[in-house]
Amino acid sequence: MIAFDMLVAICLFYVAILFGVAFLAERGGRRGSNAWLRSPLVYTLSLSVYCTAWTFYGAVGYAARSGLEFVTIYLGPTLVLIGWWWTLRKLVRIGKTQRITSIADLISSRYGKSNMLGVIVTLIAVVGTTPYIALQLQSVTLSFAVFAAAGAPGPWQVVDLNAAAFSVAVGLAVFTVFFGTRNLDANERHHGVVTAIAVEAVVKLIALLAVGIFVVWGIGGGVQATLDRIEASPLAGMPVAPGRWIGLTFLAGAAILTLPRMFQVLVVENEDERHLATAAWAFPGYVFLMSLFVVPIAAIGLAEMPPGANPDLFVLTLPLAQGRDGLATLAFLGGFSSATSMVIVAAIALSTMVSNHIVMPLFLHWTRAGATMSGDVRTLVLRARRLSIGGVLLLGYLYYRLTGGSEALAEIGLISFAGVAQFLPALLGGILWRGATRAGALAGLTLGFALWAYTLFLPSFGEGAVMSAGLLADGPWGIGWLRPQGLFGLDGLDPLVHAVVFSMGANALAFTLVSLLDFPGPMERLQAAQFVNVFDHSPAGQGWSQGRAEAEDLLLMAQRILGADDAQRLFQRAAADQGKQGYLPDTTPEFLRTLERKLAGSVGAATAHAMVGQIVGRSSVSVEDLMKVADETAQMMEYSSQLEAKSEELARTARQLREVNEKLTELSVQKDAFLSQISHELRTPMTSIRAFSEILMEDDALPPERLADYSRIIHQESMRLTRLLDDLLDLSVLENGQVSLHPQPVSLSDLLDRSVAAAGGRSGRAPMAIRRDPAAERVDLITDGDRLSQVFINLVSNAQKYCDAADPVLTISVTEAEGRVAVDFIDNGSGIPDRSQSIIFEKFSRLSDPRKAGGAGLGLAICREIMVRLGGSIVYLPGRGGAAFRVTLPSRCAEAA
Amino acid sequence: MDKRVLLIEDEPNIIEAIRFILARDGWRVDTHADGTTAFDRVAETRPDIVILDVMLPGRSGFDILRDIRADAGLGALPVLMLTAKGQVKDRDLAERMGASRFMAKPFSNTEVLASVRELTGA
């Protein structure tokens, strides 16, 4: 008989080996070596965490009690891994691209990063897993007890069993803390743990196979004999209940997806989604081997062992009874491995969920200021993880102590399965159906969980523990159809099947209906698309590592939003402030705050916070998707600035068009007025000519003096017409710039002489005195003399026509300065009224009686055009007593130069 | 024949021509050249017909016409409008404002005479 001390020593030795394996794997993993550590084989073996002590010991007990029903526990996962390979791959892909850390994280992320959902899933997981952990502790202590009982009846009894359970719990906590929270890996992978789990998987398989082989060939007497003994055992006669079979297969299939520890090894710890392809056949193979000898061990155990022996412990007690201490020890180690691997992985998974979804949010909420002060959130997270691991194991231990560890192992496992199966609608709906909403998931989870607790979990404590016997038998307040195990009067069903049907049915129904009625928020829609269409969005690549990559990704993102120059400047300055070279500063909280503020200016605070959070924290939207968002933002901004530029251009064009249109309208009005004026100016003399010529033609009796008068009028008006036409032509030529100037040297005094002479005298009136200063007039010009004298003649004859002084005097004075000559024509008349001074140079502006004018009012307009052509000007000088015009011109005409 | 024409026109040669044509036919012709005082002259002389030029110094012939048509005593007075502009819109405007007839310069002497006779019913 093996000594208890010896067993403890072996145990410790085995644990030490596990520590060593985990340590080496961890170191190898960090160095990136040990390729076999990342092989599909290790992945497949790590999935065997599914096979806990419940499987190791309990399956035999299960078979001994219920026959072949235990097979369902293996059938479910097998069907899922083989048949749902595509869905598993999708889960793994989502886990990678979204950096999912747990099933709570997945569900929370999918439904718009709802922390509420995260908390609920975490709570359900803790509630569902705690009994399971207690179960493992119980199995280890029970196996210890077997050895203790088989050995000399020593002093250690129940108290020592509890102590053993406690020390196992503490030891597991230490191991888990040590390898589960060594560091905060971005991808939440734990190479050491996974490798240790793989080793344990091998140990438990070998142990069970060894016991099975011993039982079949050592006790049973070969395959045929064993088969016969099975045939003769009570197992053969046990009925197969189809309802339970279907329900259990479904539960086991759901469990491989929804158990936190399974999600941990299947999705989170997955190195490469191609490993799934191997696991799809290898894992069913593994569970097949694990279940191969269950029935023989159960059958022979029932036959060989005394009645009342616990069939859950046949794996251990059969070899012991046969005196095979070595084999028994191996079986013990197998069971120990099963229990510890489950507890370790479950503790890691739960602690991640608890710390991420409960502890950290609460901590950040309570110490909003403190968190920003502390600077290093990582230490905080690690501490939260370690505390959570301790807490989870403590809960398990307490549950074990409270329930007394008396129940059949299999039932606890199934209750657990049914509890976590409540995640299934939200999980599958989330990755397969874009219409699934947060409200739907909340409704389904809460309702399903409540029904599970009411119909299965709480009754499982036994009558009178939580629920009174009366409540179980007659329903609350005596309402029969509300009985926990017979809702709506469904009494015939197995309690487990009953609970599964109601909780899952209500869960799925509520999830679907509420999702259909609800309208998802923008974040939910974004996440829904990311999850459901994960294969469209993401490459099958590996995750990327923390640290430098983080700063690089931040820089990449910032460049897309701020523009390359600004972003690089910002990063370089931050790096310099930290005393670093280059563009990549440490992603300290200060730097992140600065960056976030800067980004917020471009994309708004909420988005900026989310973006930085995405890259630095572990959350739902992948970096690539953020980049897409950033690109879209940039494109939109560019587009809108283009639009802005375009609309500015359009406004400018419209303004120009408006101006042109106004000008055209004005021109058209001017043209109309001009035509109207010309018409008037032409028709007026024509009227006289026509009227008098008709008179002359018709009236033969016209007195001779009238005849002479009328002929003279006709002649006068003809001359007026001719002058008008001449002026019009002249003006037209000048205005169109078609006039050709002939600049030549001329003397100003000669020009004035000629002009005064040409202007002629005043018909029938006192002659006008013209005062000149010959000395000042001695100026030589190079200009078009004919055109200039045309201006002078006009001004002199205007003075002669319009000067209303009794003794009219016109003074012509010449001044010369800086290459320009000014010639003033000033008479002593009443001048031009102020209001008219502005229009005298316009065409057809005639101020006085047309009879006196004798012209069409084009004279000054022509003068102005001529002076413009000659490079000079003509202006009216107000306030000089009479009418005063100043002609200014360069002494050398520009066109002659 | 004792019919009187008031000719409101500022071009001396045209005044002379119209006066000759009408006087020869036995009309008594008063003339007025200033637009600003033209309406007063109409009210004062109360002619049988007014020959009204559009382009007058001081005031437009259209304004004078409007005053005549608005006046209770003169409202029905025949007005023959003359214009040297001869544009369609002037003709429309004149008709809208109640000109009895509208003639463009240069006019035919016989037409003017015929119009004056017709408008006065002579």
Side-chain angles (χ1 to χ4, degrees):
Chain A
M1 187 65 235
I2 190 163
F4 181 70
D5 292 347
M6 184 64 183
L7 191 65
V8 172
I10 289 171
C11 242
L12 288 177
F13 179 68
Y14 178 67
V15 169
I17 289 175
L18 285 184
F19 262 83
V21 166
F23 179 74
L24 286 175
E26 194 76 26
R27 212 173 57 178
R30 260 207 310 286
R31 279 204 310 254
S33 59
N34 292 11
W36 66 272
L37 281 181
R38 305 182 172 199
S39 69
L41 180 72
V42 169
Y43 178 68
T44 307
L45 285 173
S46 74
L47 291 184
S48 75
V49 76
Y50 178 78
C51 304
T52 63
W54 169 35
T55 316
F56 192 84
Y57 295 124
V60 173
Y62 201 156
R65 291 188 194 94
S66 314
L68 279 174
E69 200 173 281
F70 81 93
V71 173
T72 56
I73 304 304
Y74 300 111
L75 197 55
T78 301
L79 290 177
V80 168
L81 269 173
I82 294 173
W84 274 40
W85 184 79
W86 186 81
T87 307
L88 287 178
R89 194 168 71 103
K90 190 165 189 175
L91 260 184
V92 169
R93 178 74 68 86
I94 290 171
K96 274 194 195 310
T97 54
Q98 307 287 322
R99 316 182 93 206
I100 296 298
T101 58
S102 66
I103 187 163
D105 191 27
L106 181 101
I107 290 178
S108 143
S109 292
R110 162 59 180 82
Y111 299 104
K113 303 175 67 189
S114 155
N115 200 49
M116 164 90 116
L117 270 175
V119 170
I120 288 180
V121 173
T122 303
L123 288 177
I124 296 178
V126 169
V127 172
T129 310
T130 300
Y132 217 145
I133 290 173
L135 174 64
Q136 309 305 316
L137 295 178
Q138 184 191 348
S139 74
V140 174
T141 47
L142 278 180
S143 56
F144 267 120
V146 166
F147 278 91
W156 64 295
Q157 282 304 316
V158 180
V159 178
D160 303 277
L161 277 179
N162 288 341
F166 187 73
S167 41
V168 168
V170 170
L172 288 172
V174 168
F175 182 90
T176 312
V177 165
F178 198 78
F179 289 105
T181 63
R182 274 180 73 88
N183 53 9
L184 267 189
D185 185 71
N187 302 307
E188 293 291 347
R189 296 209 189 104
H190 310 87
H191 295 300
V193 172
V194 168
T195 312
I197 301 298
V199 170
E200 292 195 297
V202 175
V203 170
K204 62 194 180 193
L205 181 63
I206 290 175
L208 199 57
L209 287 178
V211 173
I213 289 166
F214 167 70
V215 166
V216 171
W217 283 278
I219 307 175
V223 176
Q224 192 52 51
T226 308
L227 284 178
D228 293 343
R229 293 184 72 166
I230 292 171
E231 200 60 37
S233 76
L235 266 70
M238 286 177 181
V240 170
R244 260 184 85 84
W245 266 75
I246 294 171
L248 291 177
T249 308
F250 168 76
L251 275 187
I256 197 145
L257 295 172
T258 55
L259 277 174
R261 69 170 191 278
M262 288 316 294
F263 190 89
Q264 179 77 28
V265 288
L266 191 72
V267 176
V268 181
E269 305 280 359
N270 178 281
E271 287 280 352
D272 188 331
E273 65 185 47
R274 281 168 301 189
H275 291 180
L276 265 179
T278 309
W281 60 264
F283 183 68
Y286 182 89
V287 294
F288 170 75
L289 291 178
M290 284 294 280
S291 58
L292 192 58
F293 292 108
V294 168
V295 170
I297 295 172
I300 293 181
L302 283 174
E304 297 286 321
M305 298 302 286
N310 187 352
D312 282 334
L313 293 172
F314 281 172
V315 174
L316 213 49
T317 47
L318 264 178
L320 269 183
Q322 299 291 323
R324 301 284 181 152
D325 286 1
L327 186 60
T329 308
L330 183 61
F332 170 81
L333 279 183
F336 185 76
S337 292
S338 305
T340 51
S341 59
M342 180 272 163
V343 174
I344 289 165
V345 179
I348 288 177
L350 284 183
S351 74
T352 305
M353 287 156 75
V354 170
S355 77
N356 280 8
H357 295 282
I358 296 178
V359 177
M360 286 307 289
L362 282 180
F363 181 84
L364 292 176
H365 181 73
W366 281 329
T367 58
R368 194 158 285 178
T372 53
M373 293 298 288
S374 79
D376 191 0
V377 185
R378 288 160 167 256
T379 321
L380 190 72
V381 173
L382 282 179
R383 208 168 291 155
R385 290 277 167 86
R386 286 168 186 161
L387 283 175
S388 302
I389 289 172
V392 164
L393 285 169
L394 185 65
L395 269 182
Y397 175 72
L398 288 178
Y399 186 93
Y400 161 73
R401 286 298 304 272
L402 288 177
T403 58
S406 60
E407 285 144 291
L409 298 179
E411 282 306 316
I412 295 186
L414 287 175
I415 291 167
S416 236
F417 276 20
V420 294
Q422 302 305 326
F423 302 148
L424 196 65
L427 179 74
L428 289 183
I431 65 171
L432 299 175
W433 179 34
R434 279 184 75 162
T437 70
R438 173 176 170 271
L442 268 176
L445 276 174
T446 339
L447 193 60
F449 180 64
L451 278 172
W452 167 76
Y454 184 68
T455 57
L456 193 62
F457 184 57
L458 297 180
S460 77
F461 289 91
E463 283 185 9
V466 180
M467 290 179 160
S468 67
L471 192 147
L472 283 169
D474 305 321
W477 307 287
I479 305 170
W481 58 272
L482 282 180
R483 269 178 299 120
Q485 295 178 330
L487 286 177
F488 302 102
L490 274 174
D491 286 324
L493 282 179
D494 173 82
L496 181 74
V497 176
H498 169 270
V500 169
V501 165
F502 274 102
S503 62
M504 290 306 291
N507 182 339
L509 197 68
F511 170 69
T512 312
L513 284 183
V514 174
S515 289
L516 285 175
L517 293 175
D518 182 39
F519 193 74
M523 188 65 173
E524 280 183 78
R525 287 208 295 278
L526 176 68
Q527 291 295 90
Q530 294 300 325
F531 277 59
V532 175
N533 303 328
V534 67
F535 291 124
D536 305 338
H537 287 284
S538 57
Q542 303 275 325
W544 35 276
S545 61
Q546 194 94 353
R548 264 182 84 80
E550 199 172 70
E552 265 172 27
D553 284 313
L554 284 172
L555 178 57
L556 269 176
M557 178 187 71
Q559 281 182 345
R560 297 191 190 195
I561 294 169
L562 303 174
D565 288 348
D566 277 3
Q568 282 166 12
R569 238 189 333 272
L570 178 75
F571 275 64
Q572 198 173 23
R573 199 166 51 235
D577 288 347
Q578 294 174 358
K580 295 177 75 175
Q581 298 274 316
Y583 292 98
L584 297 177
D586 290 331
T587 50
T588 60
E590 286 86 353
F591 169 66
L592 292 180
R593 268 201 303 282
T594 314
L595 179 64
E596 213 178 279
R597 266 202 302 277
K598 187 93 179 159
L599 294 177
S602 300
V603 295
T607 315
H609 182 73
M611 287 176 151
V612 173
Q614 304 306 343
I615 292 184
V616 178
R618 263 155 298 287
S619 44
S620 51
V621 184
S622 76
V623 176
E624 285 81 2
D625 294 317
L626 277 170
M627 294 306 184
K628 272 185 224 153
V629 172
D631 272 349
E632 278 164 18
T633 311
Q635 277 169 11
M636 269 158 60
M637 280 163 70
E638 195 183 326
Y639 185 57
S640 90
S641 74
Q642 276 174 4
L643 274 183
E644 219 165 272
K646 277 217 176 77
S647 83
E648 255 171 40
E649 205 178 302
L650 275 179
R652 209 159 41 237
T653 311
R655 204 160 50 238
Q656 285 169 348
L657 275 177
R658 208 160 44 238
E659 281 166 9
V660 168
N661 191 43
E662 275 164 14
K663 211 170 271 175
L664 279 176
T665 312
E666 199 182 313
L667 276 176
S668 159
V669 169
Q670 280 181 358
K671 190 196 76 186
D672 279 359
F674 183 68
L675 282 176
S676 179
Q677 279 284 355
I678 288 186
S679 168
H680 185 264
E681 296 301 325
L682 288 171
R683 281 167 187 269
T684 301
M686 289 296 292
T687 306
S688 299
I689 292 169
R690 180 171 176 185
F692 286 110
S693 48
E694 280 181 12
I695 291 168
L696 291 182
M697 287 189 305
E698 291 158 10
D699 205 327
D700 302 330
L702 214 58
E705 70 275 10
R706 286 243 164 138
L707 187 71
D709 269 355
Y710 292 171
S711 307
R712 193 169 34 77
I713 291 175
I714 292 173
H715 180 254
Q716 266 178 15
E717 296 288 347
S718 309
M719 296 300 287
R720 183 174 153 191
L721 265 181
T722 313
R723 259 199 320 276
L724 177 66
L725 290 174
D726 285 346
D727 283 356
L728 276 176
L729 283 174
D730 207 9
L731 191 63
S732 162
V733 165
L734 284 166
E735 278 186 344
N736 291 330
Q738 292 164 340
V739 66
S740 48
L741 297 175
H742 305 288
Q744 55 200 17
V746 288
S747 151
L748 183 57
S749 62
D750 285 356
L751 274 184
L752 284 170
D753 287 346
R754 256 164 42 204
S755 304
V756 169
R762 293 160 37 112
S763 53
R765 290 195 289 173
M768 173 180 251
I770 295 180
R771 290 187 191 150
R772 291 168 59 184
D773 179 1
E777 286 171 12
R778 241 173 265 130
V779 176
D780 291 322
L781 301 167
I782 296 179
T783 190
D784 187 324
D786 291 342
R787 284 295 181 183
L788 190 54
S789 63
Q790 195 183 344
V791 174
F792 291 165
I793 291 166
N794 210 302
L795 290 174
V796 173
S797 60
N798 272 357
Q800 286 179 334
K801 262 187 260 178
Y802 301 119
C803 182
D804 50 4
D807 297 311
V809 176
L810 174 67
T811 307
I812 301 174
S813 56
V814 176
T815 47
E816 195 186 1
E818 294 170 12
R820 293 186 81 80
V821 182
V823 186
D824 295 350
F825 296 79
I826 303 169
D827 66 27
N828 58 347
S830 52
I832 293 171
D834 288 350
R835 61 186 163 82
S836 305
Q837 287 169 9
S838 59
I839 62 162
I840 50 175
F841 293 104
E842 300 302 322
K843 285 167 280 202
F844 302 112
S845 59
R846 200 165 41 198
L847 303 178
S848 64
D849 190 328
R851 273 165 301 185
K852 273 165 75 185
L858 293 172
L860 285 176
I862 291 172
C863 288
R864 189 181 57 179
E865 288 299 324
I866 290 173
M867 290 319 297
V868 169
R869 300 287 153 217
L870 293 179
S873 63
I874 176 168
V875 292
Y876 184 79
L877 301 173
R880 292 298 179 92
F885 290 89
R886 166 168 294 175
V887 173
T888 313
L889 72 159
S891 46
R892 297 175 70 86
C893 171
E895 287 183 35
Chain B
M1 175 132 8
D2 197 18
K3 296 248 173 161
R4 290 178 307 137
V5 175
L6 177 58
L7 171 62
I8 305 173
E9 165 66 72
D10 65 329
E11 188 73 25
N13 290 338
I14 297 175
I15 295 172
E16 177 58 29
I18 292 172
R19 197 208 334 249
F20 179 83
I21 296 159
L22 291 177
R24 194 176 55 182
D25 197 50
W27 296 79
R28 194 181 128 197
V29 180
D30 295 318
T31 65
H32 189 85
D34 182 29
T36 43
T37 52
F39 177 74
D40 296 339
R41 186 70 190 279
V42 174
E44 181 193 330
T45 55
R46 299 207 155 261
D48 293 297
I49 183 170
V50 173
I51 299 176
L52 182 58
D53 186 26
V54 173
M55 287 268 285
L56 290 166
R59 196 147 184 253
S60 152
F62 290 124
D63 293 342
I64 299 164
L65 175 63
R66 185 164 49 224
D67 286 356
I68 291 171
R69 289 290 176 244
D71 187 281
L74 299 170
L77 185 66
V79 176
L80 169 61
M81 288 208 82
L82 297 176
T83 177
K85 287 192 172 173
Q87 282 172 328
V88 177
K89 64 175 184 188
D90 290 340
R91 180 180 291 272
D92 291 348
L93 187 59
E95 278 169 6
R96 262 208 314 284
M97 299 186 76
S100 310
R101 188 153 297 181
F102 183 92
M103 293 181 79
K105 296 171 178 178
F107 45 77
S108 142
N109 292 355
T110 47
E111 248 178 71
V112 172
L113 193 57
S115 296
V116 169
R117 281 178 179 163
E118 202 183 311
L119 289 173
T120 55

